[in-house]
Structures are given as C-alpha cells and as structure tokens.
Amino acid sequence: MIEIARPALLGAGALAALLPLALHLLRPQERDRRLLPTARFLSRETRTRIRTHRLPDHIPLLILRMAFCLILGAALSGMRWVGPAEGVGEILIVDRGPGMAGVWSEVEAALSDMVGDHTLAIVLVGRDPDGSVTSESIAPARLPEGEAWTALSPIELGPGEDIRLVDLLGQLRLVGGGLVGVELIQARILTRARWSSWHPGTALLREEIWPAGIGAELINGGELLGQDPADATGKAIRLVAPEHLESTFWEALELWGYEPTRDEGPEVELIVGASEELGALWLGAEEGTGANEDGKYLLLDGRTIPGAGRPFGGSPPVNARIPLLRSGGRPAAAATGPGLDEPCRITLPVNGEVPILGDLLILMDALLWEGCGVRRVSNDQEEGAPDLWHSILETAQGVGPVPAELIRDEQAGLPLARLLLAVAFILALVEFLRVRRIP
Amino acid sequence: MAGKSELPPELLDGIEDLEWVGRHVARGLGPGIHPSTLVGFGEDFERHRPYQQGDDLRHLDWRLLARTDRLHVRRYREAANLRTMFVLDGSPSMGFAGIDVRPKKGEGPLTKLRFAALLVAVLGHLAREAGDVPGLVVSGGPDGSPLYFQSARPGKEAWHALLHTLHGLEAGEPSPLAPILDRVGGLPRGRVIILSDFLEEDGGEALWREAGHLCARGDDVTAIRILTPDELGRGSEADGLFADPEYPDRTVPGRPRGDVGYAERLARYYGHLARELEERGVEWWEATTTDPLLPLLRGWIRGESRR
C-alpha cells in the first residue's frame, strides 16, 4: 500500500504533465518539419488534409516529458510504501509515573484482560531519575505466552511529578505514527484521574493529537484533595482578565467543578492582569524588583510555586488580605471583601504569564479559598476528574479507531522519494539525449 | 576515396571492360580513344582528298586511281583524348539523403552529393583509363561562385587532389548551375558531365541555355539527374510539414508517397527539363541514390539505358 504525505504536490505534478502535452499540441509545425528538396511539388489537397491532422509530435519525447512531471510530483509528494494494511490494531498507553504508586497491582490485573491478538504495542510512560518523561514500547510478542502482563512485574515507578495526561497522549501519537501493517488503529490509555496530572491546554490539544475516541481506563484510589461541597455551593466567580488569560483560568475553574454563572450575582471577583483598565491593581510609583525575588509565588502555608513575570510596585489597599506573596515578600495578590452586597475581590497582577500546570490549581486554590476566607477541606476523592478524563479522551461518538494513514508519520514505511527522484533524473537524461538527436 | 587503389576492388573489376567513349569529335591533348578533330593519317578512314604536291605517296589510293584515273589520297581520323570536366551541384538540396534517414553506425547517410561524388570518382577513373584528363567544379560557393574548382590537369597528383576533394565534400550554399556552366564555357572544349538534382528556382531555363551554348561550341555534355526514392514519391510513408533545404522557412504540409499530383508535377518538371536539354544536344541520364552502381554505369556507357 502506498501512502502520500502531500497529495497536493502529486496533483500539481499531474497538472504539470499536461503542460508538455499542450505545448506539443500547440506547436506541432516546427517539430513536424522535415526536409524534402522537392517539397514544392506537393499537392494542395494533401496540404489541407494534413493541416487539420494535428497529433502530438515526437510521441516518445512527449511521453518522457509527461512521465518526468508525474514522477517528480510523486517524489515531492512524500510517497512511501507501507506494505499491505488490513484490520484493526490497538495501542495501550500505560501510565507508569509516580502517581500510579499503590495501584500498580490493579494496573497489572487490568492489562492482563486488555492485551490480546489485536494489541500492536504496549507503551509504558514513566519518568527518569532526572524527572524527564520516558517511554518504553513493548510488542505483545515479547510477552511470555500465558503469563501475559504479569511477566513484567515488578516495574519500578519513576520519581517526580505525576505523568500528565497530555504526555500520555503525546506518546500515543508518537507510537501510532510509526505503525504500519494495519488499516485502523484504536487506542486506550490506562492512568489515574488526578488534578495534579492535568494540563489546562489538554482539551485544546486533544483532537490534534488523536482524531478519534480513546478508551479511558482509569484506576482510582489513593489520597486525593478536593473542596468542601458545602462551601462551594452557591459560589460564583466573575473573572476579569485579558482574553488570553481568561480562557486558561476558566478552564482551571471548570476543573474544580465551579459553575460561575449559577448564581445571579458574583460573589468572588477575580481580577487577573497588569492592565490599568482592569481598575483593581495596586499601582505604585515605581516598579519594584527585589534583589532576592526569584519569580516564585509563596503561599501562606509555606509552599512555593513557580511564578511568572516581573513583580509590580506599590502596595495593595490598606484593608486587603494578602493570600499570596512573592518570594521576596512583596504582595503577589490582594483580596478585599466580602462586605454587605459586595463580592470578595481578589486581584492577581500578572504581566501576561501565569503558571499553567497543576500549580495553577494550587495557586487558584490559595487565592479563591484562603483569600476569601473560605475553609479548605481534604477529600480522598478528586470529584469531577474521572468524568473530565472520560469526556476529554472519548468523543461524543465514543471510543473508536482512526485510519492509520491519518496519523502515520512521514518517515513511517519505505520512502520512495529518492527512488522516484532517480527515475525522474534518468527520464530527464534520456529526454536530453533524444532531443539532441533531433535534427 | 583517395585514389584508384581506394575505389572498391569489386567496382574496379566491374568497370574494367568499360570504355567511356565521347560522342563528339574532340581536340585532344594527346592520343586517346575518342574521335579527334584532327584529320590525318590515323587508323579510321575519314574521306578522300585530291592529291596535292608534297603529299606522301604512301597515302595515295591506288585502287581509286585505277578506277577513275585521278589521284586521291586517303585521309584518316586520329583518335584523341578529352578534357572531362565534372560539374557537381553543391547546393544544400544535394545534401539530402531521404526523409528521416539516419546515419548508419560508423558512416554518414548516402546523400545525393555523396552518391554524385562516387559517380565522379568512378567516371573519372574510366576517363583516366581512356587517357582523358578529368577536372572538377563544384557549385555552392558564396554569391554563385564555385565551392571548388580544379581545371582538367593530367597526372596522378591532380587526380588524387580531385579524389581528396570528393572525399570531404559537403554541401554549400544555394546557387544556380547556369553561372558555373558559363564559367566552364570559358575552358577548352571537351566533355562536360553535370551531376545535380536540377531543382532550379527558374525551372531550369538558364541551365538549358548555358548547356546549349556548351553543346553549340562542340562540348560533349551529359546531365546526370540524381534523386532519392523519397523525392520520387517511392520512399517513406511519412507525412507532415516539409521544407526545401534551400528555403527552410517555406513549410508545406504533405505526404510525398501516394500523392498522385506530386508525382505528376515532378515528372512534368523533369520531362520538360530533359526535353529542353536534349533538344540542345545534352545527353540526359537519371539515377537514384539506391541504384546499384555497376548496372547503372554499364547501362549508361553502353547506351542500353539512360533513365
């Protein structure tokens, strides 16, 4: 089976092949000319008949030129041989990051059921000792027969932060792009649904990475954080922020299960940004850049999270609460209210950059709950996360396969570009030699 | 084709028994095989003349004296040699070998010019065997001048120079033959062999006039018309746009083979030209580049076939 990475170029080659045909048809007279010293005696009747008899001249040359254009177009179109392809194959992406500690036995049990003849590859995504994401792809043929997945035990889990869902999707695309021999590919991801492994841009990247429904096999359990449902009920947040920040923040808020438009009046007003038009910044005289400030945010409970951008000068309102400091001790956010019929107003002055990983959720947690004096509670369930995982991974049509050619890398299979270029070169050479032989 | 020894041996064998005798009397340079304009005491009886004082009594016709009782001496025609001037058409049309004719490996295509050069070499050899002196003039030079000129000179060196010229001969520029014949008319009388396709722009009128002048002054003129089968409409089936090599911009769509009108016009042109030339005393021979050379020469020289 041949796949074409850039079919438009193949079409362009086909169109270009029509050009020599047109030129041969339009200019037959010069090319048809033959020498005959007695040409003056030719009949007038024959002249008339032959004048209307326009055929492409030098047919072998015409064929050579058309073939050259076609083959050159094919070479530039990224044509490659991927062999015969049939049936449906499956890729299993398995989260082997630190977040899977304590549930690995469940993972093994699940995998034993999931691995089958249709499994093309099992990809274990973990972390190196230095914290970087790594993957190991295992073909089912390497698994001892009858023992299936348990033969790989014990598996050491890497250190560091949880593997993000977006990393798992990235590995899926990486492995799927190199697979040949199947017509359709379906995918399943085995992980835990934890906010700490969430990336706010995941929903946006999801369709680009894998254009079909992915099976979400979620292993639950372990110690998780959540919010107090009683305190959360009835809250609404009005966000004032530049457009590019607003979408990120809203996504983070939705992850927390808020429905900001549920109530008529806003009870929390979160003002994010450095624009003066936002009207709620503490704007000082000069821009402060503390020598000992290294760009981190310091939470009241002593935790630090990576900050972004330069600090702002000046001071917040006198009666404001300071739920967030910069590492140098300057206020990084201020909260006022709530008073009578007045929302809790939190101001987070940033200059265009905010933490966007799981830290953002911690940051928002500190701002919205501690800044407004709302109690924060622990919960062993991350409510909402599994549903979100499912909705992100599975499409409205559910789980399904994707045509392999849609996700296949340009490097997969046997590239034919060089071969086709060589053929095109030979054709050009033959054409050149033939043209030289024409008197 | 640099000398006698380089002519194909089978060709030399084939023409060994041929004697190329001129049709007219000639004023020769020395003894030869042709009838001489010099009447004297040779081998062939010419006429009687009344005896004059001083005549050698050995030539007195004693039998006539016995019958008529008058003194007459016998006069004989002397055999003489000839100047043989080959006039070769070197115009571009003579470089034609055929429609779509490609050179064979190791040799060029047999153009009309090469065929004519071969004829000149063989006829020149026959002429030399007869004691004649060949010369060569090739048309196709700039402004109607000859492309090559070698007067009729005796000796091996002159003959080799002539053959060398024939060997490397290439067609020149378009030029009519009449001015060349006019120049030949300024040379001593002899035999003039014109080899050409005779595709003259004026239909050949100037040509037959000049040839007629040559005949009138006593030259033995032969015109050998050389064409290819394609020109005769008996060759390639090719059709398309055709152009005269001498006028490449004048293209004509056509198909020579099977074109009845073409064959008729061609025959009419050459028929008229041959008639005009023959009326003026020019002998008209025809050849095709595919003709086998030996039968062709035998037919011509023995007078068995002229066309």
Side-chain angles (χ1 to χ4, degrees):
Chain A
M1 192 172 128
I2 287 177
E3 287 188 358
I4 300 167
R6 295 173 290 276
L9 284 177
L10 183 62
L15 283 177
L18 297 177
L19 187 63
L21 177 65
L23 289 176
H24 279 240
L25 285 170
L26 287 172
R27 303 182 59 198
Q29 294 199 352
E30 281 189 19
R31 297 179 178 281
D32 261 341
R33 191 176 62 182
R34 296 177 162 101
L35 294 179
L36 182 70
T38 50
R40 69 177 92 161
F41 301 114
L42 287 169
S43 291
R44 187 170 297 280
E45 297 77 30
T46 312
R47 295 176 196 181
T48 309
R49 184 155 45 88
I50 290 177
R51 185 170 286 129
T52 60
H53 185 60
R54 284 196 165 187
L55 285 175
D57 60 334
H58 298 302
I59 297 293
L61 263 184
L62 175 60
I63 292 171
L64 278 174
R65 287 167 178 168
M66 292 184 72
F68 171 77
C69 293
L70 273 174
I71 291 175
L72 189 64
L76 297 178
S77 70
M79 196 174 273
R80 62 195 189 280
W81 172 254
V82 294
E86 58 179 351
V88 183
E90 186 176 67
I91 304 172
L92 293 176
I93 303 291
V94 180
D95 181 355
R96 202 176 64 168
M100 303 303 282
V103 295
W104 194 247
S105 58
E106 297 173 41
V107 171
E108 290 176 341
L111 278 174
S112 296
D113 294 335
M114 291 161 66
V115 175
D117 293 340
H118 59 292
T119 306
L120 296 174
I122 303 160
V123 184
L124 303 173
V125 183
R127 286 198 184 276
D128 268 347
D130 64 357
S132 59
V133 175
T134 62
S135 68
E136 180 188 358
S137 185
I138 301 171
R142 286 170 52 192
L143 298 174
E145 193 174 355
E147 297 184 24
W149 182 255
T150 52
L152 290 177
S153 299
I155 295 175
E156 292 184 3
L157 301 174
E161 299 171 351
D162 287 348
I163 302 295
R164 297 176 301 174
L165 181 58
V166 73
D167 291 327
L168 299 176
L169 285 168
Q171 291 299 326
L172 172 59
R173 180 58 183 255
L174 200 64
V175 174
L179 289 177
V180 294
V182 289
E183 191 178 359
L184 300 165
I185 300 176
Q186 64 182 21
R188 281 199 278 183
I189 290 180
L190 201 159
T191 184
R192 293 177 76 178
R194 288 159 58 99
W195 294 122
S196 55
S197 64
W198 178 249
H199 182 293
T202 305
L204 297 174
L205 295 171
R206 160 70 180 86
E207 284 291 324
E208 294 296 322
I209 294 176
W210 195 264
I214 302 168
E217 305 293 335
L218 304 177
I219 307 293
N220 291 319
E223 184 181 354
L224 301 170
L225 295 176
Q227 72 276 13
D228 185 346
D231 286 341
T233 304
K235 293 287 182 186
I237 292 177
R238 188 168 74 87
L239 183 67
V240 181
E243 190 176 346
H244 68 281
L245 292 177
E246 192 175 12
S247 58
T248 304
F249 275 87
W250 274 122
E251 189 179 357
L253 295 176
E254 284 176 11
L255 291 177
W256 254 339
Y258 270 98
E259 293 182 21
T261 57
R262 187 171 52 197
D263 292 339
E264 290 181 0
E267 292 188 19
V268 176
E269 187 178 70
L270 178 62
I271 302 166
V272 181
S275 171
E276 192 175 349
E277 285 76 30
L278 296 176
L281 302 182
W282 60 87
L283 298 171
E286 73 282 345
E287 192 176 285
T289 50
N292 58 346
E293 289 176 348
D294 57 5
K296 288 181 180 174
Y297 286 136
L298 183 63
L299 300 180
L300 295 180
D301 59 4
R303 287 183 294 167
T304 59
I305 57 176
R310 55 187 168 81
F312 285 80
S315 301
V318 176
N319 58 347
R321 297 183 298 281
I322 308 299
L324 191 67
L325 297 170
R326 298 193 72 86
S327 58
R330 285 176 177 274
T336 58
L340 189 61
D341 298 327
E342 171 185 41
C344 172
R345 175 173 291 130
I346 303 167
T347 303
L348 175 66
V350 295
N351 59 1
E353 298 175 53
V354 293
I356 58 170
L357 302 179
D359 292 339
L360 175 63
L361 301 179
I362 301 171
L363 173 66
M364 297 294 288
D365 186 34
L367 290 175
L368 295 178
W369 298 105
E370 296 179 6
C372 290
V374 179
R375 186 166 54 89
R376 177 170 168 268
V377 298
S378 293
N379 196 325
D380 60 357
Q381 291 289 327
E382 288 205 6
E383 289 186 2
D387 288 342
L388 181 69
W389 257 239
H390 278 289
S391 68
I392 289 290
L393 292 177
E394 300 166 2
T395 61
Q397 289 77 34
V399 178
V402 63
E405 62 190 46
L406 287 184
I407 58 164
R408 190 128 50 209
D409 291 340
E410 288 187 18
Q411 288 76 25
L414 176 67
L416 301 176
R418 286 187 181 177
L419 175 69
L420 292 170
L421 279 176
V423 173
F425 175 76
I426 290 170
L427 288 176
L429 190 65
V430 172
E431 193 265 358
F432 174 74
L433 294 175
R434 285 196 70 96
V435 165
R436 283 171 61 92
R437 288 182 56 191
I438 294 175
Chain B
M1 200 190 297
K4 171 186 171 181
S5 60
E6 294 187 19
L7 283 171
E10 63 275 14
L11 193 61
L12 293 177
D13 291 344
I15 60 176
E16 200 171 12
D17 58 332
L18 286 179
E19 271 192 349
W20 190 23
V21 181
R23 291 177 295 140
H24 298 173
V25 292
R27 184 183 296 277
L29 298 173
I33 64 170
H34 313 290
S36 172
T37 55
L38 298 177
V39 178
F41 306 100
E43 296 176 353
D44 296 336
F45 172 74
E46 170 72 10
R47 58 187 166 87
H48 286 100
R49 178 173 65 74
Y51 174 79
Q52 295 174 356
Q53 191 173 3
D55 284 343
D56 192 339
L57 291 177
R58 286 181 298 175
H59 299 298
L60 200 63
D61 192 335
W62 297 104
R63 290 183 180 175
L64 190 64
L65 176 63
R67 284 205 307 271
T68 63
D69 200 21
R70 291 181 181 172
L71 288 174
H72 282 85
V73 291
R74 295 171 67 92
R75 302 297 304 212
Y76 296 86
R77 178 171 295 280
E78 285 187 354
N81 66 357
L82 281 174
R83 291 183 183 84
T84 301
M85 201 66 193
F86 292 99
V87 178
L88 191 49
D89 182 358
S91 60
S93 66
M94 289 294 284
F96 181 72
I99 299 170
D100 297 335
V101 170
R102 301 263 184 258
K104 290 179 184 173
K105 193 173 183 179
E107 60 184 74
L110 183 61
T111 62
K112 291 187 284 186
L113 191 62
R114 283 174 62 86
F115 187 81
L118 188 60
L119 277 178
V120 170
V122 176
L123 291 172
H125 170 74
L126 286 174
R128 293 189 76 243
E129 288 292 307
D132 292 351
V133 181
L136 176 67
V137 56
V138 183
S139 72
D143 302 324
S145 64
L147 193 64
Y148 176 81
F149 180 84
Q150 179 179 322
S151 61
R153 283 182 283 137
K156 268 189 177 178
E157 198 172 308
W159 172 240
H160 285 169
L162 191 148
L163 289 178
H164 181 73
T165 301
L166 290 173
H167 182 67
L169 201 56
E170 298 283 348
E173 298 178 10
S175 59
L177 280 172
I180 304 296
L181 295 182
D182 182 45
R183 178 165 178 162
V184 171
L187 300 174
R189 282 180 300 171
R191 185 156 51 186
V192 179
I193 312 297
I194 311 168
L195 301 100
S196 170
D197 53 15
F198 296 106
L199 290 166
E200 298 293 301
E201 185 68 3
D202 63 352
E205 187 174 347
L207 170 78
W208 70 58
R209 282 187 182 156
E210 288 298 336
H213 293 159
L214 291 177
C215 290
R217 72 162 194 163
D219 280 323
D220 178 1
V221 183
T222 302
I224 303 178
R225 188 208 67 182
I226 301 168
L227 289 179
T228 63
D230 281 337
E231 288 168 306
L232 291 167
R234 301 198 295 256
S236 166
E237 296 276 1
D239 61 4
L241 286 172
F242 291 96
D244 187 333
E246 297 182 16
Y247 305 97
D249 294 334
R250 299 182 198 168
T251 54
V252 183
R255 181 185 296 117
R257 180 155 186 166
D259 180 351
V260 178
Y262 169 81
E264 284 176 0
R265 278 185 288 279
L266 195 74
R268 198 181 310 135
Y269 174 84
Y270 283 115
H272 181 61
L273 180 64
R275 196 163 49 251
E276 292 288 348
L277 286 170
E278 284 172 339
E279 281 176 2
R280 287 163 175 80
V282 178
E283 190 161 6
W284 176 259
W285 296 355
E286 292 178 355
T288 309
T289 51
T290 51
D291 286 341
L293 209 55
L294 275 179
L296 190 72
L297 287 169
R298 287 182 173 279
W300 283 345
I301 291 171
R302 292 179 174 168
E304 296 162 358
S305 167
R306 295 297 193 224
R307 300 182 185 179

